[in-house]
Amino acid sequence: QVQFVESGGGLVQPGGSLRLSCAASGSIFRLLAMGWYRQAPGKERELVANIFVDGRTNYADSVKGRFTISRDNAKITVYLQMNSLKPDDTAVYYCKAINLRGGSWGQGTQVTVSS
């Protein structure tokens, strides 16, 4: 089962940028997609962006045009470039590997957007 080490979170001012990284180790059977999800206190965990095995991507409407998901297959790492950050982006961000049996979650990294 794949395991993740997430990094890149932190405190940033509105309008700033962060780049999240999720480095994988181990393996996952029949990988379908990798993605970033986020959860703010008192709210449900929500999709931020997915990247599928064929390279297609999708984004939550709230982040379109601001966030970009990408991957480095050689390093088995998925990234989330986050630009024009807003206070509403504040959440714990989780990396996920998805297969037919569900998936595996990273430990989460805190992103706080505040003046």
Side-chain angles (χ1 to χ4, degrees):
Q1 189 172 22
V2 68
Q3 297 178 352
F4 297 109
V5 177
E6 297 182 44
S7 63
L11 175 65
V12 66
Q13 294 182 342
S17 297
L18 287 173
R19 180 177 168 88
L20 305 184
S21 297
C22 178
S25 63
S27 64
I28 187 167
F29 182 68
R30 300 298 298 273
L31 181 70
L32 298 176
M34 298 182 68
W36 288 96
Y37 296 72
R38 68 186 181 186
Q39 187 168 23
K43 300 182 67 176
E44 295 183 356
R45 190 171 298 185
E46 64 178 356
L47 171 71
V48 177
N50 282 156
I51 184 164
F52 299 93
V53 293
D54 64 2
R56 296 179 183 268
T57 59
N58 71 283
Y59 298 88
D61 288 342
S62 60
V63 307
K64 286 181 180 177
R66 300 188 297 121
F67 292 7
T68 303
I69 188 169
S70 62
R71 68 187 178 197
D72 183 332
N73 290 332
K75 296 181 178 181
I76 317 177
T77 303
V78 63
Y79 305 94
L80 186 68
Q81 179 65 48
M82 309 165 65
N83 299 326
S84 301
L85 283 161
K86 304 175 181 179
D88 285 348
D89 296 319
T90 296
V92 178
Y93 284 69
Y94 297 90
C95 181
K96 186 180 183 182
I98 302 165
N99 67 10
L100 290 172
R101 303 186 72 84
S104 297
W105 291 96
Q107 81 282 359
T109 184
Q110 177 71 46
V111 172
T112 302
V113 184
S114 176
S115 298

